[in-house]
Amino acid sequence: DAGITQSPRHKVTETGTPVTLRCHQTENHRYMYWYRQDPGHGLRLIHYSYGVKDTDKGEVSDGYSVSRSKTEDFLLTLESATSSQTSVYFCAISKHQGTQYNSPLHFGNGTRLTVT
Amino acid sequence: KQEVTQIPAALSVPEGENLVLNCSFTDSAIYNLQWFRQDPGKGLTSLLLIQSSQREQTSGRLNASLDKSSGRSTLYIAASQPGDSATYLCAVRPSGSGGGADGLTFGKGTHLIIQP
């Protein structure tokens, strides 16, 4: 257990509503990531963070925003949910320092989001 | 753009057999390669991490090899058990321009079933 908690674990929402998913870590790692997993596409990076208030876009960032006001929390917001955002969302952390990207990624248990 | 391919997509073998899962990647500029297992409805569990300078890593009945120059990795599972049934994912951390901080690029996985 890498000390990662995702909430909620399951959510059903309607098209057009905003949704926020939370990732909480207990180990003060600098790097945090949001991925989505879809059949036929595998895992794809949405956004990542390399420190408090330092974030950047991933491969599939359109329609998503993130915030990191504290080391331990990384929030993913769907500004106006669409059915194409129905997916399983995973948060991950990595403890490498500086530019030594040599540490493994550890994943949370995921949030299953359904947009109706 | 880095692409990761896993073959086969699915595999079913009798209990006790030794087996090999394959992973290939298109760009040899990587920091490391990581193997995960994912059980249905669950998150990803890290199995092995191989740094770009390493040739292999072992953990119990698992052995992962890396041939960076040819863009290949294999995961060898010895004496397979029904509890090994899961989806196995391979992922690389690119080290090319801008790479590293933005996490892993994943293959789509091999769905493994071990028949009792």
Side-chain angles (χ1 to χ4, degrees):
Chain A
D1 183 0
I4 307 170
T5 304
Q6 291 187 235
S7 59
R9 290 298 313 280
H10 302 272
K11 185 170 182 66
V12 180
T13 192
E14 294 184 350
T15 298
T17 60
V19 177
T20 295
L21 309 183
R22 180 182 184 235
C23 178
H24 178 79
Q25 60 150 329
T26 59
E27 301 184 5
N28 289 324
H29 293 324
R30 180 181 173 192
Y31 287 83
M32 299 184 76
Y33 306 83
W34 278 109
Y35 287 86
R36 61 178 289 175
Q37 185 175 37
D38 304 287
H41 291 279
L43 280 122
R44 294 177 291 173
L45 182 68
I46 306 171
H47 280 278
Y48 66 99
S49 170
Y50 45 97
V52 173
K53 298 185 179 178
D54 290 324
T55 65
D56 207 345
K57 297 179 180 180
E59 178 186 358
V60 290
S61 60
D62 288 349
Y64 301 95
S65 63
V66 289
S67 66
R68 191 165 178 203
S69 59
K70 299 184 291 184
T71 299
E72 59 265 36
D73 288 326
F74 192 30
L75 304 180
L76 176 71
T77 297
L78 288 65
E79 294 141 10
S80 177
T82 67
S83 58
S84 66
Q85 293 176 313
T86 292
S87 186
V88 181
Y89 291 85
F90 287 100
C91 174
I93 63 174
S94 186
K95 66 176 182 179
H96 53 260
Q97 302 295 321
T99 58
Q100 298 302 310
Y101 304 111
N102 54 5
S103 295
L105 258 65
H106 296 284
F107 282 77
N109 287 326
T111 293
R112 184 172 297 276
L113 176 68
T114 302
V115 183
T116 61
Chain B
K1 176 187 173 186
Q2 178 76 262
E3 293 184 1
V4 180
T5 303
Q6 292 187 246
I7 295 173
L11 181 64
S12 180
V13 300
E15 179 179 3
E17 283 199 5
N18 303 324
L19 58 98
V20 174
L21 307 181
N22 296 294
C23 172
S24 62
F25 47 96
T26 56
D27 188 343
S28 62
I30 64 170
Y31 283 105
N32 50 58
L33 183 146
Q34 196 168 352
W35 282 95
F36 298 86
R37 74 173 275 168
Q38 184 176 28
D39 296 288
K42 303 292 186 182
L44 281 70
T45 300
S46 179
L47 297 174
L48 290 164
L49 173 73
I50 311 177
Q51 303 296 349
S52 62
S53 58
Q54 297 175 325
R55 297 286 293 183
E56 65 179 276
Q57 283 286 329
T58 298
S59 176
R61 293 182 295 108
L62 305 179
N63 176 276
S65 69
L66 173 64
D67 184 341
K68 195 177 75 163
S69 61
S70 68
R72 297 177 187 274
S73 176
T74 61
L75 180 66
Y76 175 83
I77 303 177
S80 58
Q81 304 170 357
D84 295 330
S85 297
T87 296
Y88 290 79
L89 296 160
C90 164
V92 298
R93 187 184 283 269
S95 63
S97 176
D102 56 352
L104 300 174
T105 300
F106 281 84
K108 295 180 181 178
T110 294
H111 181 56
L112 176 65
I113 297 175
I114 307 299
Q115 306 157 4

